[in-house]
PDB file of all heavy atoms in Angstrom:
ATOM      1  N   GLN A  58      87.287-141.239  24.196  1.00 98.00           N
ATOM      2  CA  GLN A  58      87.409-141.417  22.732  1.00 98.00           C
ATOM      3  C   GLN A  58      88.819-141.912  22.355  1.00 98.00           C
ATOM      4  O   GLN A  58      88.948-142.801  21.502  1.00 98.00           O
ATOM      5  CB  GLN A  58      87.104-140.088  22.017  1.00 98.00           C
ATOM      6  CG  GLN A  58      85.612-139.782  21.977  1.00 98.00           C
ATOM      7  CD  GLN A  58      85.339-138.358  21.578  1.00 98.00           C
ATOM      8  OE1 GLN A  58      86.134-137.404  21.804  1.00 98.00           O
ATOM      9  NE2 GLN A  58      84.160-138.144  20.956  1.00 98.00           N
ATOM     10  N   ASP A  61      89.008-145.537  23.165  1.00 98.00           N
ATOM     11  CA  ASP A  61      88.265-146.344  22.192  1.00 98.00           C
ATOM     12  C   ASP A  61      89.087-146.533  20.927  1.00 98.00           C
ATOM     13  O   ASP A  61      89.184-147.654  20.392  1.00 98.00           O
ATOM     14  CB  ASP A  61      86.922-145.627  21.905  1.00 98.00           C
ATOM     15  CG  ASP A  61      86.010-146.491  21.035  1.00 98.00           C
ATOM     16  OD1 ASP A  61      86.231-147.707  20.917  1.00 98.00           O
ATOM     17  OD2 ASP A  61      85.066-145.908  20.461  1.00 98.00           O
ATOM     18  N   ILE A  62      89.706-145.420  20.459  1.00 98.00           N
ATOM     19  CA  ILE A  62      90.502-145.520  19.244  1.00 98.00           C
ATOM     20  C   ILE A  62      91.722-146.449  19.448  1.00 98.00           C
ATOM     21  O   ILE A  62      91.997-147.335  18.643  1.00 98.00           O
ATOM     22  CB  ILE A  62      90.984-144.129  18.794  1.00 98.00           C
ATOM     23  CG1 ILE A  62      89.790-143.272  18.358  1.00 98.00           C
ATOM     24  CG2 ILE A  62      91.994-144.204  17.685  1.00 98.00           C
ATOM     25  CD1 ILE A  62      90.065-141.795  18.107  1.00 98.00           C
ATOM     26  N   THR A  65      90.549-150.084  19.655  1.00 98.00           N
ATOM     27  CA  THR A  65      90.201-150.578  18.287  1.00 98.00           C
ATOM     28  C   THR A  65      91.507-150.840  17.522  1.00 98.00           C
ATOM     29  O   THR A  65      91.613-151.845  16.819  1.00 98.00           O
ATOM     30  CB  THR A  65      89.337-149.541  17.550  1.00 98.00           C
ATOM     31  OG1 THR A  65      88.235-149.275  18.362  1.00 98.00           O
ATOM     32  CG2 THR A  65      88.896-150.079  16.211  1.00 98.00           C
ATOM     33  N   VAL A 173      87.175-151.866   9.791  1.00 98.00           N
ATOM     34  CA  VAL A 173      86.604-150.762  10.547  1.00 98.00           C
ATOM     35  C   VAL A 173      86.271-149.641   9.546  1.00 98.00           C
ATOM     36  O   VAL A 173      87.061-149.397   8.611  1.00 98.00           O
ATOM     37  CB  VAL A 173      87.613-150.224  11.597  1.00 98.00           C
ATOM     38  CG1 VAL A 173      87.102-148.955  12.267  1.00 98.00           C
ATOM     39  CG2 VAL A 173      87.942-151.276  12.643  1.00 98.00           C
ATOM     40  N   ALA A 174      85.136-148.998   9.715  1.00 98.00           N
ATOM     41  CA  ALA A 174      84.733-147.956   8.793  1.00 98.00           C
ATOM     42  C   ALA A 174      84.663-146.627   9.527  1.00 98.00           C
ATOM     43  O   ALA A 174      84.195-146.572  10.679  1.00 98.00           O
ATOM     44  CB  ALA A 174      83.374-148.282   8.168  1.00 98.00           C
ATOM     45  N   ILE A 175      85.137-145.571   8.874  1.00 98.00           N
ATOM     46  CA  ILE A 175      85.046-144.233   9.473  1.00 98.00           C
ATOM     47  C   ILE A 175      84.304-143.377   8.464  1.00 98.00           C
ATOM     48  O   ILE A 175      84.737-143.184   7.316  1.00 98.00           O
ATOM     49  CB  ILE A 175      86.467-143.652   9.754  1.00 98.00           C
ATOM     50  CG1 ILE A 175      87.285-144.640  10.598  1.00 98.00           C
ATOM     51  CG2 ILE A 175      86.358-142.309  10.441  1.00 98.00           C
ATOM     52  CD1 ILE A 175      88.676-144.210  10.922  1.00 98.00           C
ATOM     53  N   THR A 176      83.137-142.873   8.886  1.00 97.00           N
ATOM     54  CA  THR A 176      82.290-142.141   7.921  1.00 97.00           C
ATOM     55  C   THR A 176      81.298-141.282   8.641  1.00 97.00           C
ATOM     56  O   THR A 176      81.405-141.045   9.837  1.00 97.00           O
ATOM     57  CB  THR A 176      81.595-143.211   6.992  1.00 97.00           C
ATOM     58  OG1 THR A 176      80.909-142.506   5.920  1.00 97.00           O
ATOM     59  CG2 THR A 176      80.606-144.112   7.713  1.00 97.00           C
ATOM     60  N   ASP A 177      80.328-140.768   7.876  1.00 96.00           N
ATOM     61  CA  ASP A 177      79.296-139.923   8.450  1.00 96.00           C
ATOM     62  C   ASP A 177      78.417-140.736   9.459  1.00 96.00           C
ATOM     63  O   ASP A 177      78.333-141.943   9.361  1.00 96.00           O
ATOM     64  CB  ASP A 177      78.408-139.454   7.277  1.00 96.00           C
ATOM     65  CG  ASP A 177      77.361-138.463   7.714  1.00 96.00           C
ATOM     66  OD1 ASP A 177      77.678-137.265   7.749  1.00 96.00           O
ATOM     67  OD2 ASP A 177      76.226-138.891   8.036  1.00 96.00           O
ATOM     68  N   ARG A 184      78.183-145.732   5.268  1.00 97.00           N
ATOM     69  CA  ARG A 184      77.429-145.877   6.537  1.00 97.00           C
ATOM     70  C   ARG A 184      76.421-147.023   6.405  1.00 97.00           C
ATOM     71  O   ARG A 184      76.303-147.891   7.293  1.00 97.00           O
ATOM     72  CB  ARG A 184      76.752-144.530   6.866  1.00 97.00           C
ATOM     73  CG  ARG A 184      75.682-144.581   7.922  1.00 97.00           C
ATOM     74  CD  ARG A 184      76.106-145.211   9.245  1.00 97.00           C
ATOM     75  NE  ARG A 184      77.231-144.530   9.899  1.00 97.00           N
ATOM     76  CZ  ARG A 184      77.881-144.984  10.949  1.00 97.00           C
ATOM     77  NH1 ARG A 184      77.580-146.149  11.465  1.00 97.00           N
ATOM     78  NH2 ARG A 184      78.880-144.300  11.465  1.00 97.00           N
ATOM     79  N   LYS A 193      82.623-152.317  13.105  1.00 97.00           N
ATOM     80  CA  LYS A 193      82.901-151.241  14.066  1.00 97.00           C
ATOM     81  C   LYS A 193      83.045-149.932  13.275  1.00 97.00           C
ATOM     82  O   LYS A 193      83.703-149.924  12.202  1.00 97.00           O
ATOM     83  CB  LYS A 193      84.222-151.566  14.799  1.00 97.00           C
ATOM     84  CG  LYS A 193      84.853-150.428  15.499  1.00 97.00           C
ATOM     85  CD  LYS A 193      84.331-150.234  16.924  1.00 97.00           C
ATOM     86  CE  LYS A 193      84.980-149.048  17.616  1.00 97.00           C
ATOM     87  NZ  LYS A 193      84.350-148.697  18.831  1.00 97.00           N
ATOM     88  N   THR A 194      82.450-148.887  13.772  1.00 98.00           N
ATOM     89  CA  THR A 194      82.559-147.614  13.004  1.00 98.00           C
ATOM     90  C   THR A 194      82.965-146.460  13.946  1.00 98.00           C
ATOM     91  O   THR A 194      82.767-146.514  15.158  1.00 98.00           O
ATOM     92  CB  THR A 194      81.208-147.195  12.370  1.00 98.00           C
ATOM     93  OG1 THR A 194      80.224-147.000  13.393  1.00 98.00           O
ATOM     94  CG2 THR A 194      80.723-148.195  11.348  1.00 98.00           C
ATOM     95  N   PHE A 195      83.555-145.468  13.313  1.00 98.00           N
ATOM     96  CA  PHE A 195      83.784-144.175  13.981  1.00 98.00           C
ATOM     97  C   PHE A 195      83.105-143.132  13.122  1.00 98.00           C
ATOM     98  O   PHE A 195      83.071-143.272  11.889  1.00 98.00           O
ATOM     99  CB  PHE A 195      85.265-143.877  14.124  1.00 98.00           C
ATOM    100  CG  PHE A 195      85.973-144.728  15.151  1.00 98.00           C
ATOM    101  CD1 PHE A 195      86.623-145.888  14.764  1.00 98.00           C
ATOM    102  CD2 PHE A 195      85.969-144.358  16.512  1.00 98.00           C
ATOM    103  CE1 PHE A 195      87.263-146.671  15.713  1.00 98.00           C
ATOM    104  CE2 PHE A 195      86.588-145.142  17.441  1.00 98.00           C
ATOM    105  CZ  PHE A 195      87.254-146.321  17.041  1.00 98.00           C
ATOM    106  N   VAL A 196      82.735-142.004  13.756  1.00 97.00           N
ATOM    107  CA  VAL A 196      82.010-140.962  13.088  1.00 97.00           C
ATOM    108  C   VAL A 196      82.941-139.765  12.795  1.00 97.00           C
ATOM    109  O   VAL A 196      83.714-139.341  13.648  1.00 97.00           O
ATOM    110  CB  VAL A 196      80.804-140.519  13.933  1.00 97.00           C
ATOM    111  CG1 VAL A 196      80.162-139.271  13.382  1.00 97.00           C
ATOM    112  CG2 VAL A 196      79.794-141.670  14.011  1.00 97.00           C
ATOM    113  N   ILE A 197      82.819-139.230  11.571  1.00 96.00           N
ATOM    114  CA  ILE A 197      83.450-137.941  11.280  1.00 96.00           C
ATOM    115  C   ILE A 197      82.418-136.862  11.535  1.00 96.00           C
ATOM    116  O   ILE A 197      81.345-136.901  10.904  1.00 96.00           O
ATOM    117  CB  ILE A 197      83.926-137.895   9.781  1.00 96.00           C
ATOM    118  CG1 ILE A 197      84.720-139.133   9.413  1.00 96.00           C
ATOM    119  CG2 ILE A 197      84.753-136.614   9.565  1.00 96.00           C
ATOM    120  CD1 ILE A 197      85.030-139.226   7.938  1.00 96.00           C
ATOM    121  N   PRO A 210      88.970-139.494  14.312  1.00 98.00           N
ATOM    122  CA  PRO A 210      89.410-140.887  14.057  1.00 98.00           C
ATOM    123  C   PRO A 210      90.011-141.088  12.640  1.00 98.00           C
ATOM    124  O   PRO A 210      90.817-142.005  12.438  1.00 98.00           O
ATOM    125  CB  PRO A 210      88.112-141.682  14.230  1.00 98.00           C
ATOM    126  CG  PRO A 210      87.314-140.886  15.197  1.00 98.00           C
ATOM    127  CD  PRO A 210      87.628-139.452  14.878  1.00 98.00           C
ATOM    128  N   LEU A 214      93.026-143.038  14.142  1.00 98.00           N
ATOM    129  CA  LEU A 214      93.055-144.514  14.156  1.00 98.00           C
ATOM    130  C   LEU A 214      94.215-145.063  13.370  1.00 98.00           C
ATOM    131  O   LEU A 214      95.000-145.876  13.920  1.00 98.00           O
ATOM    132  CB  LEU A 214      91.695-145.070  13.646  1.00 98.00           C
ATOM    133  CG  LEU A 214      91.609-146.599  13.683  1.00 98.00           C
ATOM    134  CD1 LEU A 214      91.747-147.160  15.093  1.00 98.00           C
ATOM    135  CD2 LEU A 214      90.336-147.119  13.038  1.00 98.00           C
TER     136      LEU A 214
END
Side-chain angles (χ1 to χ4, degrees):
Q58 284 167 331
D61 186 17
I62 293 171
T65 305
V173 174
I175 306 179
T176 188
D177 185 86
R184 167 53 61 191
K193 163 87 182 170
T194 61
F195 288 95
V196 170
I197 310 172
L214 182 62

